[in-house]
Amino acid sequence: MEKIKRTRIIEALASEEYGKDINVKGWVRTRRGSKSVNFIALNDGSTIKNIQVVADVDKFDDEVLRKITTGACLSVDGKLVQSVGSGQNVELQATAIEILGTCGPEYPMQKKGQSFEYMRQHAHMRLRTNTFGAVFRIRHNMAMAIHRYFHEHGFYYFHTPIITASDCEGAGQMFQVTTKNLYDIKKDEEGKIDYSDDFFGKSTSLTVSGQLEGELGATALGAIYTFGPTFRAENSNTPRHLAEFWMIEPEVAFYDINDNMDLAEDFIKYCVRWALDNCADDLEFLNKMIDKQLLERLHFVVEHDFVRLTYTEGIRILEEAVKNGRKFEFPIYWGADLASEHERFLVEEHFKRPVILTDYPKEIKAFYMKLNEDGKTVRAMDVLFPQIGEIIGGSEREESYDKLMARIQELNIPMKDMWWYLDTRRFGTCPHSGFGLGFERLILFVTGMQNIRDVIPFPRTPKSAEF
Ligand code: 4AD
Ligand code: MG
C-alpha cells in the first residue's frame, strides 16, 4: 500500500476535497458503534475538534478494532467525505487503520469530568484532554502575540540572565544556586558562609526579575522587552502564585508613568484581541465548559478604557466600603498593601472595569521606583484585572543617582551587588519606565481557568516539583 503523507486534523476538517484519500494520525478520544459500523473520534492536538473516523466493521480485523480504545494512537487512511449530521463538514471513511500505540484501561485520562486536582496529579497526561489542549494552544498564541506586539512597536527582545547575584525586588525570595557540597560548608570567623570557592566565586540565585538588566538594555537600545522564566521562593499556596513562572518586562527610555500606563493598556488589549481573533474554537469550548462569562469578559476588556486612580483614592473607596458594611479578611488603611480581595473589590464591584492604581506608599514598593514630590509615595502602577487582581506591576524609575543611592542606603541593600546598576544613573541617566506582566496571570484571564497551576504545563509550587 502506498504511504500517504499525513494531513493534520485541523486542515482535514477545513478541507472540501471530498473523495480525496488522506492519512491522519492521532489519539482516540472515544469510540462508539453498532454491529456494522464504528465511529472513532480522533484528535491530534492541532485543534480542539476531533475528526470522525467511520470504520465498517466487516472491513477490519476484530483484532484491530479491539485495540481502538480511548487513548490509543492510530494512523488512519481513508476517504474524506461530506458528513451528514456529525457536527462537522467532513468525516473520514477508513480504508486502513494501523495501531501505533495501544492504551489500556489504566490510562489516567480515561474518564471524562475528572477534577482539576486529579488532573494535576497526572499532569504529564492531562495535556491530552480537551481543556488542557485548549489552554496550551492559547498559551502559545499569547506568546506569539507578545513577540508580535513588541516587534511591531520597535522594542528589541533582550535576554537577561537567569542566574544572578542581585535581588531585584529586594524581597529575599530567591532560590540559591550553588555547586558547593552541602555536607561540608566552610564558614568564616563570623559564621558566614564563604562563597569564594563556589562556582561563581560569590553567592548567586535564580532571578526574580530581569528588570535591572532590562534597564541597561533600555538605556542603550531605547526600548526592550524580556520574556523569560522567573523564580520566587515565596511560600504562598494560592491559586495565583507559582515558584517558577514566566514574566514579560518591557522597559522604555524617556517614558514617564503615563506613557507606561498607556503602553500597558494598549499591550494587554492587543493580546486579548489576538486571542479573540485567533483562538475562537478553544475560547468557545472554555466559555461553554469552564466559565460562561469568559467571552463577555474578554470583549469587555478590549472595548473599555481602564480606570486610573491613585492608591490614596483607592484606599478611600475601600474605607468607605468598610464603613458601609463591606467585610474584608485583611484590614485596610493608608499604608497597607492591598490584598487580592481589595483589588478585586475595586475592579469587580466598585468600578466594574480594569483599574490602574498608581502612587503607592514607598514602604510597600521596591527601591528603584521614582519618589514623588510628597516624599511619601512612589510612581508605581499596578494593573488590576477582574478575577485575577494584580496582573501587571511596574513604575517610573528613579533616575537621580543621589535619590536612588539614598534609598539603597535606607534599605541597607548591599552596594557591592549594585554598582553596575548605579552606572546607568552615573553615565547619561534618563527618565525611563517599565513593567512586568505575569504570563500565567494573563493566561488565567484569557482562558477563564481558576488555578494558575492549570495554565502552565508543569507547575512548580511549594512541596511540588513532579514531572
Ligand atoms: O509586581 P512584580 O513583583 O514586579 C516586578 O518583578 C518588577 N521587576 C516588574 C517590572 O517593573 N519590570 O511582578 C510582576 C508581575 C506581577 O504583577 C504578577 O503578574 C507576576 O509578575 N507575578 C507572579 N506570577 C505568578 N507567580 C508569582 N509568584 C508571581 N509573582 C509576581
Ligand atoms: Mg507587584
Side-chain angles (χ1 to χ4, degrees), residues 194-247:
D194 176 10
Y195 286 98
S196 61
D197 64 346
D198 201 355
F199 189 90
F200 296 106
K202 58 162 104 174
S203 167
T204 51
S205 303
L206 296 177
T207 187
V208 295
S209 159
Q211 180 196 321
L212 302 187
E213 291 90 352
E215 287 184 47
L216 290 161
T219 54
L221 300 168
I224 62 93
Y225 70 105
T226 73
F227 188 167
T230 308
F231 307 87
R232 297 205 183 168
E234 54 187 324
N235 202 359
S236 9
N237 259 307
T238 83
R240 275 176 287 281
H241 288 88
L242 289 164
E244 177 179 307
F245 62 102
W246 289 66
M247 186 151 55

Side-chain angles (χ1 to χ4, degrees), residues 169 232 343 365 369 381-382 390 392-394 436 441:
E169 294 304 299
R232 297 205 183 168
E343 296 171 341
K365 289 293 179 190
M369 297 190 181
M381 49 160 261
D382 279 8
E390 179 190 338
I392 281 178
R441 295 206 183 163

Side-chain angles (χ1 to χ4, degrees), residues 5 38 59 82 197 208 222 224 365 388 415 437-438 457:
K5 196 164 167 275
N38 275 200
K59 281 198 203 140
Q82 212 159 359
D197 64 346
V208 295
I224 62 93
K365 289 293 179 190
I388 310 293
M415 272 310 302
L437 167 73

